[in-house]
């Protein structure tokens, strides 16, 4: 329905401004929704969760203990909680974005299956959107345990665009169906007749089982109600989603992600917000943008409650 990129330029004065535009280190000519390919961070944990559930490596009753770090590589992979999250199932692991949980299940999934499910969700390939210069991103196939651990939490060599992340979350919201996004709605001739019209291109058969979708969706609503995106002023819209903070290799410089759908019980919209090169973390940087967007989509919304 909409895509936005920032910083922008004024197309009305583009020729006059061109010399300054090409000097701008922020690269305003980059169409970020389809061309900004960055590590997705923890939003990719959705795929890791689906892969583990779909391949029978875990169930919703499977519990792992988080002690604040994995114990691998001298504690290189740490959780956001210094003291750990304790015993978690996959729903609560999504809620808390627990690195330890997803790294442990990634080892059970293995490189081949994790790569397969990354492909199933459209990573490493173009979405087919009807505008030019879309980038593929990069879905690496892990060659070692450490690379597998990195990829499972959306780090390492992994690169994804905001559109690819939105396609991923749409498959959770729509019951596991793959879609091909498009911008052009229709072209009208001078006589008022439709010359060309886009049609929805949706794979009829879901690639994710309904019970797995339900588990993941319950985890994603917990993210907003009582997890990494709590108290951000978006609970009243019944947002379900996943935050992510992707490391850049520089101290206090992150890529902040937030992807999800709304409302939880009957999704109408999917979204992805990306804020590049920020000292803030996922929800802190992105939730104000999302809050403004939701206020426009649902004016006058006083708040909803979850039917538990």
């Amino acid at each position: 329905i909409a895509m936005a990129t920032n910083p922008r330029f004024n197309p009305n004065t583009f020729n006059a401004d061109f010399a300054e535009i090409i000097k701008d280190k922020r690269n305003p000519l980059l169409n970020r929704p389809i061309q900004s390919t960055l590590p997705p961070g923890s939003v990719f944990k959705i795929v890791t969760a689906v892969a583990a559930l779909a391949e029978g490596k875990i169930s919703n009753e499977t519990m792992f203990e988080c002690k604040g770090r994995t114990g691998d590589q001298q504690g290189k992979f740490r959780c956001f909680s210094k003291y750990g999250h304790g015993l978690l199932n996959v729903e609560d692991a999504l809620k808390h974005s627990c690195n330890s949980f997803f790294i442990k299940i990634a080892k059970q999934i293995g490189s081949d299956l994790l790569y397969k499910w990354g492909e199933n969700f459209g990573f490493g390939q173009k979405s087919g959107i009807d505008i030019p210069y879309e980038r593929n991103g990069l879905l690496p196939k892990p060659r070692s345990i450490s690379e597998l651990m990195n990829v499972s939490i959306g780090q390492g060599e992994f690169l994804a665009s905001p559109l690819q992340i939105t396609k991923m979350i749409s498959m959770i919201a729509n019951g596991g169906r793959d879609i091909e996004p498009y911008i052009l709605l229709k072209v009208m001739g001078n006589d008022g007749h439709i010359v060309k019209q886009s049609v929805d291109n949706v794979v009829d058969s879901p690639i994710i089982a309904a019970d797995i979708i339900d588990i993941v969706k319950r985890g994603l609503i917990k993210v907003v109600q009582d997890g990494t995106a709590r108290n951000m002023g978006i609970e009243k819209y019944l947002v379900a989603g996943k935050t992510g903070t992707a490391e850049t290799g520089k101290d206090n410089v992150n890529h902040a992600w937030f992807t999800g759908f709304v409302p939880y019980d009957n999704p109408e919209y999917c979204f992805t917000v990306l804020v590049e090169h920020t000292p803030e973390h996922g929800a802190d940087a992105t939730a104000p943008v999302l809050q403004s967007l939701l206020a426009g989509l649902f004016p006058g919304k006083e708040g909803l409650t979850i039917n538990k």
Side-chain angles (χ1 to χ4, degrees):
I1 295 177
M3 295 197 310
T5 185
N6 190 69
R8 299 173 289 179
F9 57 87
N10 186 346
N12 297 306
T13 59
F14 180 73
N15 287 338
D17 298 340
F18 184 73
E20 292 299 319
I21 291 172
I22 61 173
K23 294 178 183 177
D24 192 332
K25 293 181 179 180
R26 300 174 302 165
N27 200 358
L29 292 177
L30 187 69
N31 187 0
R32 282 171 162 78
I34 64 169
Q35 295 178 318
S36 188
T37 54
L38 302 167
S42 293
V43 296
F44 185 73
K45 291 173 182 174
I46 292 172
V47 177
T48 305
V50 170
L53 291 163
E55 299 295 339
K57 303 301 181 181
I58 64 169
S59 70
N60 200 33
E61 287 71 45
T62 302
M63 307 286 283
F64 287 108
E65 185 177 10
C66 170
K67 298 180 179 180
R69 64 182 187 180
T70 63
D72 293 274
Q73 298 186 8
Q74 291 75 50
K76 177 181 178 181
F77 293 92
R78 297 181 179 273
C79 260
F80 303 112
S81 171
K82 180 179 179 180
Y83 302 103
H85 296 112
L87 283 173
L88 299 167
N89 67 358
V90 66
E91 289 183 28
D92 286 331
L94 287 167
K95 166 184 165 181
H96 293 295
S97 198
C98 177
N99 283 344
S100 293
F101 183 95
F102 287 100
I103 286 170
K104 288 177 181 177
I105 65 172
K107 292 177 181 178
Q108 297 192 23
I109 299 167
S111 296
D112 290 342
L113 291 178
L114 186 61
Y115 183 82
K116 181 188 87 169
W117 278 97
E119 284 192 316
N120 286 346
F121 276 92
F123 291 103
Q125 54 199 290
K126 294 177 181 177
S127 70
I129 194 169
D130 55 346
I131 50 178
Y133 310 120
E134 180 185 10
R135 292 181 177 172
N136 291 46
L138 177 63
L139 175 64
K141 192 168 187 178
R143 296 159 295 184
S144 65
I145 292 295
S146 61
E147 288 184 13
L148 176 63
M149 293 162 69
N150 256 323
V151 171
S152 71
I153 58 174
Q155 292 285 172
E157 297 178 343
F158 199 164
L159 300 174
S161 70
L163 182 59
Q164 289 173 326
I165 296 298
T166 309
K167 183 175 181 178
M168 172 196 74
I169 199 66
S170 76
M171 293 173 68
I172 302 299
N174 70 24
R177 290 173 172 82
D178 190 11
I179 65 165
E180 185 174 291
Y182 59 86
I183 290 293
L184 178 69
L185 181 60
K186 59 185 175 182
V187 177
M188 303 288 290
N190 292 332
D191 58 0
H193 286 88
I194 297 175
V195 177
K196 181 178 181 180
Q197 185 169 11
S198 295
V199 295
D200 291 335
N201 187 2
V202 183
V203 175
D204 290 334
S205 300
I207 66 169
I208 312 168
D211 59 333
I212 295 174
I213 293 282
D214 289 342
I215 292 170
V216 173
K217 287 177 69 175
R218 289 196 297 269
L220 298 182
I221 190 67
K222 290 180 178 180
V223 169
V224 177
Q225 298 293 322
D226 193 31
T228 57
R230 64 186 179 276
N231 300 325
M232 290 294 167
I234 57 176
E235 298 89 347
K236 63 183 178 181
Y237 299 105
L238 282 190
V239 176
K242 185 73 190 74
T243 60
T245 305
E247 297 176 354
T248 65
K250 299 179 181 179
D251 291 339
N252 298 318
V253 180
N254 307 304
H255 302 310
W257 296 85
F258 195 173
T259 190
F261 52 89
V262 59
Y264 163 75
D265 51 353
N266 186 27
E268 295 181 45
Y269 304 100
C270 294
F271 64 84
T272 297
V273 180
L274 166 65
V275 179
E276 300 176 0
H277 306 291
T278 175
E280 295 182 295
H281 288 206
D284 296 322
T286 59
V289 180
L290 179 60
Q291 190 175 31
S292 296
L293 179 62
L294 293 174
L297 290 172
F298 302 101
K301 186 70 70 178
E302 294 299 324
L304 300 170
T305 57
I306 303 173
N307 183 6
K308 296 183 179 180

